[in-house]
Amino acid sequence: MKAIFDERQLLHTPERYFRRGAYMPHPEQAERAVLIRDMLKRNDFAIEPPRDFGEEPIKAIHDPDYVDFWKDAYQRWRAEAGDAEPIPNCHPGPRRGRPSSSIYGQLGWWATDTSVPLTEGLWQAIYWSAQTALEAAERVKQGDRMVYGLCRPPGHHALSNASNGFCAFNNAAIAAQSLRARFSKVAILDIDTHTGNGTLDIFYERGDVFVCSLHVDPATYPTYYLGYEDERGEGAGEGATVNLTLKPGDGVEQILARFHEGLKAIGDFGAEALVVSLGFDMAADDPLSEVKMTADGFDTMAREIVRLGLPTALIQEGGYLGPSLSDNAETYLTASRDELAKLTLVS
Ligand SMILES: [Zn+2]
């Protein structure tokens, strides 16, 4: 199983994050990807850089003006605001309006929250994170059974025209759209502990991309506004969205029971290819977790996803700097590789 990663994804260096009324160190640090990259090397995974597929496949998911905005947003902010911290705070909300010509207005227009501060390396990091997802999808289209895209920053909260929850480009959605060029029905299974709200929103009215998100109940936990179980898709997408919620404090048994419901739903949909939004932030010791996932639980998920038998792109999402991040990534990815090898021996 190949892994895809580009060092330019490390260039985004957010410092602070405003959460529950207080500033805290920003959890989405480049070190997350460094830890996973180094673990991949120790375990002899072949790590290859992505090719440059350009902006077109990103703009197939995102508003072209939104994509273009990020290219020089940092430089514009510095020219206008000097050393002030580049955090959006003028959001339009769901009302009529248009993006202004001001960097202050535009930054708020293209963001739902304050979690994606502009940094000098942000454009490079989000662009190459998207290219990593595209490379993983491309290889799956060419016949690889499973490819791991070490995407960072993550993507599953990003809407088609707004950043949200540390995410600017929705890497999993971009990968799924790319896979649609070869496969008529693609499923996305999101096992990050937060709702894949951006992914869900992007495909909500589409019947060709099935989205199943397993996450802590948004009634009391971020992302708060989407991911409730009665949200099932609309129009052509009616029934092609499945939200499986967990309660704070749930352990492996409850998590895996809901996970199995997700696997069944993907089978019922008739998916021909799969994108996994792979977060490790359900881990009991993850700083953002409210559930108690274990290494054995990740091992089980990895093997059962392989046994679905679908061409699969694994796209890295969350998982923060708790003690077990690297260990859980190691457990998941080596279990996937081991299970793939077993299937090859059998066939
Ligand atoms: Zn998450």
Side-chain angles (χ1 to χ4, degrees):
M1 181 171 70
K2 289 214 167 54
I4 314 296
F5 179 65
D6 191 293
E7 298 286 332
R8 283 169 282 192
Q9 293 170 231
L10 304 176
L11 293 174
H12 178 46
T13 53
E15 291 177 16
R16 294 200 295 171
Y17 171 48
F18 194 65
R19 178 172 183 254
R20 295 181 182 175
Y23 269 119
M24 57 185 279
H26 202 297
E28 204 292 289
Q29 291 296 314
E31 189 187 348
R32 302 172 52 244
V34 171
L35 286 172
I36 297 176
R37 177 200 67 192
D38 292 350
M39 175 281 293
L40 292 167
K41 287 181 182 168
R42 282 199 307 279
N43 285 281
D44 298 322
F45 281 95
I47 306 176
E48 295 182 15
R51 287 166 283 178
D52 187 350
F53 296 91
E55 294 171 19
E56 194 179 327
I58 302 174
K59 290 178 174 173
I61 288 295
H62 293 287
D63 182 329
D65 289 341
Y66 171 76
V67 175
D68 291 338
F69 164 74
W70 294 105
K71 291 179 187 171
D72 63 354
Y74 176 81
Q75 288 74 14
R76 289 177 59 207
W77 178 279
R78 284 282 167 255
E80 187 74 33
D83 290 339
E85 200 166 355
I87 292 178
N89 72 317
C90 302
H91 307 280
R95 64 180 75 96
R96 281 184 291 277
R98 69 190 74 182
S100 83
S101 57
S102 152
I103 181 64
Y104 304 118
Q106 286 188 14
L107 185 56
W109 179 268
W110 298 122
T112 62
D113 63 19
T114 60
S115 73
V116 184
L118 293 175
T119 64
E120 192 165 12
L122 177 64
W123 166 255
Q124 291 264 68
I126 60 178
Y127 182 82
W128 288 103
S129 190
Q131 299 302 327
T132 286
L134 283 163
E135 181 70 52
E138 192 62 31
R139 285 170 188 249
V140 169
K141 283 192 282 188
Q142 289 164 7
D144 278 25
R145 173 69 164 76
M146 184 173 273
V147 180
Y148 171 60
L150 175 43
C151 293
R152 184 275 163 181
H156 70 150
H157 299 310
L159 310 173
S160 66
N161 59 4
S163 67
N164 175 251
F166 317 155
C167 303
F169 291 160
N170 195 313
N171 306 310
I174 290 165
Q177 185 63 32
S178 169
L179 287 170
R180 279 285 291 102
R182 168 153 179 215
F183 304 99
S184 61
K185 295 176 95 175
V186 175
I188 300 174
L189 175 61
D190 189 320
I191 58 170
D192 185 283
T193 202
H194 302 94
T195 310
N197 59 311
T199 314
L200 195 153
D201 189 66
I202 286 166
F203 295 115
Y204 206 64
E205 296 179 30
R206 283 176 55 171
D208 58 329
V209 179
F210 183 87
V211 179
C212 176
S213 181
L214 172 66
H215 49 259
V216 176
D217 189 344
T220 59
Y221 186 72
T223 58
Y224 298 122
Y225 306 115
L226 268 182
Y228 294 86
E229 299 218 4
D230 61 358
E231 294 158 1
R232 304 269 305 157
E234 282 176 7
E238 179 83 44
T241 293
V242 170
N243 288 297
L244 301 168
T245 60
L246 302 168
K247 294 189 291 296
D250 274 356
V252 180
E253 200 176 317
Q254 290 89 356
I255 295 168
L256 289 180
R258 303 245 64 189
F259 170 74
H260 291 144
E261 290 178 55
L263 296 189
K264 180 171 184 315
I266 286 165
D268 292 345
F269 169 69
E272 296 168 12
L274 180 67
V275 173
V276 179
S277 268
L278 182 59
F280 296 116
D281 47 6
M282 278 195 193
D285 63 5
D286 187 283
L288 301 187
S289 183
E290 290 191 0
V291 291
K292 296 171 181 167
M293 187 58 158
T294 62
D296 281 351
F298 283 120
D299 184 285
T300 300
M301 279 186 170
R303 292 177 192 279
E304 294 192 9
I305 285 171
V306 170
R307 286 189 215 124
L308 285 175
L310 295 170
T312 299
L314 303 174
I315 301 298
Q316 185 64 49
E317 302 286 359
Y320 298 93
L321 293 172
S324 70
L325 174 62
S326 173
D327 293 344
N328 287 330
E330 181 173 31
T331 297
Y332 187 98
L333 293 167
T334 56
S336 297
R337 181 169 64 182
D338 179 58
E339 201 63 28
L340 285 166
K342 279 190 206 166
L343 292 183
T344 310
L345 286 175
V346 170
S347 62

Short mmCIF file of all heavy atoms in Angstrom, two decimals, residues 145-176:
data_model
loop_
_atom_site.label_atom_id
_atom_site.label_comp_id
_atom_site.label_asym_id
_atom_site.label_seq_id
_atom_site.Cartn_x
_atom_site.Cartn_y
_atom_site.Cartn_z
N ARG A 145 -5.38 -1.07 -5.20
CA ARG A 145 -6.51 -1.48 -4.35
C ARG A 145 -6.75 -0.49 -3.22
O ARG A 145 -7.89 -0.19 -2.86
CB ARG A 145 -6.20 -2.87 -3.81
CG ARG A 145 -7.14 -3.41 -2.80
CD ARG A 145 -8.51 -3.74 -3.39
NE ARG A 145 -9.20 -4.58 -2.42
CZ ARG A 145 -9.74 -4.12 -1.30
NH1 ARG A 145 -9.72 -2.84 -1.04
NH2 ARG A 145 -10.31 -4.95 -0.46
N MET A 146 -5.67 0.01 -2.62
CA MET A 146 -5.82 0.96 -1.51
C MET A 146 -4.60 1.87 -1.47
O MET A 146 -3.47 1.39 -1.56
CB MET A 146 -5.97 0.20 -0.19
CG MET A 146 -6.23 1.10 1.02
SD MET A 146 -6.61 0.14 2.52
CE MET A 146 -8.38 -0.08 2.40
N VAL A 147 -4.83 3.16 -1.37
CA VAL A 147 -3.74 4.14 -1.29
C VAL A 147 -4.05 5.09 -0.14
O VAL A 147 -5.20 5.48 0.06
CB VAL A 147 -3.61 4.94 -2.61
CG1 VAL A 147 -2.47 5.94 -2.53
CG2 VAL A 147 -3.41 3.99 -3.79
N TYR A 148 -3.00 5.47 0.58
CA TYR A 148 -3.16 6.38 1.73
C TYR A 148 -2.65 7.77 1.37
O TYR A 148 -1.48 7.93 1.04
CB TYR A 148 -2.40 5.83 2.93
CG TYR A 148 -2.31 6.79 4.11
CD1 TYR A 148 -3.46 7.27 4.73
CD2 TYR A 148 -1.07 7.22 4.58
CE1 TYR A 148 -3.37 8.16 5.81
CE2 TYR A 148 -0.98 8.09 5.66
CZ TYR A 148 -2.13 8.56 6.27
OH TYR A 148 -2.05 9.43 7.33
N GLY A 149 -3.51 8.75 1.45
CA GLY A 149 -3.11 10.15 1.25
C GLY A 149 -2.94 10.82 2.60
O GLY A 149 -3.93 11.02 3.31
N LEU A 150 -1.70 11.16 2.93
CA LEU A 150 -1.44 11.86 4.20
C LEU A 150 -1.74 13.34 4.00
O LEU A 150 -0.86 14.17 3.81
CB LEU A 150 0.01 11.64 4.66
CG LEU A 150 0.50 12.40 5.91
CD1 LEU A 150 -0.52 12.39 7.04
CD2 LEU A 150 1.83 11.84 6.38
N CYS A 151 -3.04 13.65 3.99
CA CYS A 151 -3.48 15.02 3.75
C CYS A 151 -3.39 15.83 5.04
O CYS A 151 -3.86 15.41 6.08
CB CYS A 151 -4.92 15.02 3.24
SG CYS A 151 -5.08 14.29 1.60
N ARG A 152 -2.78 16.98 4.94
CA ARG A 152 -2.70 17.93 6.05
C ARG A 152 -2.44 19.29 5.43
O ARG A 152 -1.50 19.40 4.65
CB ARG A 152 -1.58 17.53 7.01
CG ARG A 152 -1.49 18.41 8.27
CD ARG A 152 -0.66 19.67 8.02
NE ARG A 152 -0.92 20.67 9.07
CZ ARG A 152 -0.35 21.88 9.08
NH1 ARG A 152 0.45 22.26 8.10
NH2 ARG A 152 -0.65 22.72 10.04
N PRO A 153 -3.23 20.32 5.75
CA PRO A 153 -4.37 20.33 6.67
C PRO A 153 -5.48 19.38 6.22
O PRO A 153 -5.55 19.00 5.06
CB PRO A 153 -4.85 21.79 6.58
CG PRO A 153 -3.71 22.57 6.05
CD PRO A 153 -2.98 21.62 5.16
N PRO A 154 -6.36 19.02 7.18
CA PRO A 154 -7.48 18.16 6.85
C PRO A 154 -8.52 18.90 6.00
O PRO A 154 -8.36 20.09 5.72
CB PRO A 154 -8.06 17.79 8.22
CG PRO A 154 -7.69 18.93 9.11
CD PRO A 154 -6.38 19.45 8.60
N GLY A 155 -9.60 18.18 5.59
CA GLY A 155 -10.52 18.82 4.65
C GLY A 155 -12.01 18.65 4.90
O GLY A 155 -12.81 19.40 4.35
N HIS A 156 -12.43 17.68 5.72
CA HIS A 156 -13.84 17.27 5.68
C HIS A 156 -14.83 18.29 6.22
O HIS A 156 -16.03 18.13 6.04
CB HIS A 156 -14.04 15.90 6.34
CG HIS A 156 -13.88 15.88 7.82
ND1 HIS A 156 -14.58 14.99 8.62
CD2 HIS A 156 -13.11 16.61 8.67
CE1 HIS A 156 -14.24 15.18 9.88
NE2 HIS A 156 -13.34 16.15 9.94
N HIS A 157 -14.36 19.35 6.88
CA HIS A 157 -15.28 20.40 7.32
C HIS A 157 -15.46 21.50 6.27
O HIS A 157 -16.37 22.33 6.39
CB HIS A 157 -14.80 21.05 8.62
CG HIS A 157 -14.70 20.08 9.76
ND1 HIS A 157 -15.72 19.23 10.11
CD2 HIS A 157 -13.68 19.81 10.62
CE1 HIS A 157 -15.34 18.48 11.14
NE2 HIS A 157 -14.11 18.81 11.46
N ALA A 158 -14.60 21.54 5.27
CA ALA A 158 -14.66 22.64 4.29
C ALA A 158 -15.89 22.52 3.41
O ALA A 158 -16.18 21.46 2.85
CB ALA A 158 -13.40 22.66 3.44
N LEU A 159 -16.63 23.61 3.30
CA LEU A 159 -17.80 23.69 2.42
C LEU A 159 -17.31 24.05 1.01
O LEU A 159 -16.13 24.36 0.82
CB LEU A 159 -18.77 24.74 2.94
CG LEU A 159 -19.14 24.64 4.42
CD1 LEU A 159 -19.97 25.84 4.84
CD2 LEU A 159 -19.89 23.35 4.70
N SER A 160 -18.22 24.07 0.06
CA SER A 160 -17.80 24.39 -1.31
C SER A 160 -17.29 25.82 -1.40
O SER A 160 -16.47 26.14 -2.25
CB SER A 160 -18.96 24.17 -2.28
OG SER A 160 -19.99 25.10 -2.02
N ASN A 161 -17.76 26.70 -0.50
CA ASN A 161 -17.38 28.11 -0.61
C ASN A 161 -17.03 28.73 0.74
O ASN A 161 -17.17 29.95 0.90
CB ASN A 161 -18.49 28.91 -1.29
CG ASN A 161 -19.80 28.82 -0.53
OD1 ASN A 161 -19.86 28.22 0.54
ND2 ASN A 161 -20.84 29.41 -1.08
N ALA A 162 -16.60 27.93 1.69
CA ALA A 162 -16.21 28.50 2.99
C ALA A 162 -15.34 27.53 3.77
O ALA A 162 -15.58 26.31 3.75
CB ALA A 162 -17.45 28.86 3.82
N SER A 163 -14.35 28.10 4.45
CA SER A 163 -13.53 27.28 5.35
C SER A 163 -14.30 27.02 6.64
O SER A 163 -15.21 27.77 7.00
CB SER A 163 -12.21 28.00 5.66
OG SER A 163 -12.46 29.17 6.43
N ASN A 164 -13.94 25.96 7.32
CA ASN A 164 -14.59 25.60 8.58
C ASN A 164 -13.70 24.58 9.29
O ASN A 164 -13.09 23.73 8.64
CB ASN A 164 -15.98 25.00 8.30
CG ASN A 164 -16.69 24.49 9.55
OD1 ASN A 164 -16.84 23.29 9.75
ND2 ASN A 164 -17.12 25.40 10.40
N GLY A 165 -13.61 24.66 10.59
CA GLY A 165 -12.97 23.62 11.39
C GLY A 165 -11.58 23.20 10.94
O GLY A 165 -11.36 22.01 10.72
N PHE A 166 -10.68 24.14 10.75
CA PHE A 166 -9.28 23.91 10.35
C PHE A 166 -9.13 23.57 8.87
O PHE A 166 -8.01 23.31 8.42
CB PHE A 166 -8.58 22.79 11.16
CG PHE A 166 -8.82 22.76 12.64
CD1 PHE A 166 -8.69 21.57 13.35
CD2 PHE A 166 -9.16 23.91 13.34
CE1 PHE A 166 -8.90 21.53 14.72
CE2 PHE A 166 -9.37 23.89 14.71
CZ PHE A 166 -9.25 22.69 15.40
N CYS A 167 -10.24 23.48 8.12
CA CYS A 167 -10.20 22.95 6.75
C CYS A 167 -10.55 24.04 5.72
O CYS A 167 -11.50 24.80 5.92
CB CYS A 167 -11.24 21.83 6.59
SG CYS A 167 -11.04 20.47 7.76
N ALA A 168 -9.80 24.07 4.62
CA ALA A 168 -10.10 25.02 3.54
C ALA A 168 -10.52 24.30 2.26
O ALA A 168 -11.50 24.68 1.63
CB ALA A 168 -8.91 25.93 3.27
N PHE A 169 -9.79 23.28 1.86
CA PHE A 169 -10.18 22.49 0.69
C PHE A 169 -10.61 21.10 1.17
O PHE A 169 -9.92 20.47 1.98
CB PHE A 169 -9.02 22.35 -0.31
CG PHE A 169 -8.65 23.63 -1.01
CD1 PHE A 169 -7.41 23.77 -1.61
CD2 PHE A 169 -9.53 24.71 -1.08
CE1 PHE A 169 -7.06 24.95 -2.26
CE2 PHE A 169 -9.19 25.89 -1.72
CZ PHE A 169 -7.95 26.01 -2.32
N ASN A 170 -11.73 20.63 0.64
CA ASN A 170 -12.27 19.36 1.09
C ASN A 170 -11.62 18.21 0.30
O ASN A 170 -12.11 17.80 -0.75
CB ASN A 170 -13.80 19.34 0.93
CG ASN A 170 -14.41 18.19 1.72
OD1 ASN A 170 -13.93 17.06 1.63
ND2 ASN A 170 -15.44 18.47 2.49
N ASN A 171 -10.52 17.71 0.86
CA ASN A 171 -9.71 16.72 0.15
C ASN A 171 -10.49 15.44 -0.18
O ASN A 171 -10.35 14.89 -1.27
CB ASN A 171 -8.49 16.37 1.01
CG ASN A 171 -7.71 17.60 1.40
OD1 ASN A 171 -7.38 18.42 0.55
ND2 ASN A 171 -7.41 17.76 2.69
N ALA A 172 -11.31 14.97 0.75
CA ALA A 172 -12.07 13.74 0.52
C ALA A 172 -13.10 13.94 -0.60
O ALA A 172 -13.29 13.07 -1.45
CB ALA A 172 -12.77 13.30 1.80
N ALA A 173 -13.75 15.11 -0.60
CA ALA A 173 -14.73 15.39 -1.65
C ALA A 173 -14.03 15.50 -3.01
O ALA A 173 -14.54 15.02 -4.03
CB ALA A 173 -15.49 16.68 -1.34
N ILE A 174 -12.87 16.13 -3.02
CA ILE A 174 -12.10 16.28 -4.26
C ILE A 174 -11.68 14.89 -4.77
O ILE A 174 -11.77 14.60 -5.97
CB ILE A 174 -10.88 17.20 -4.01
CG1 ILE A 174 -11.36 18.64 -3.78
CG2 ILE A 174 -9.89 17.13 -5.16
CD1 ILE A 174 -10.32 19.58 -3.19
N ALA A 175 -11.26 14.02 -3.86
CA ALA A 175 -10.88 12.65 -4.25
C ALA A 175 -12.09 11.88 -4.78
O ALA A 175 -12.01 11.19 -5.79
CB ALA A 175 -10.27 11.91 -3.05
N ALA A 176 -13.23 12.02 -4.10
CA ALA A 176 -14.44 11.30 -4.53
C ALA A 176 -14.87 11.76 -5.92
O ALA A 176 -15.25 10.94 -6.78
CB ALA A 176 -15.57 11.52 -3.52
#
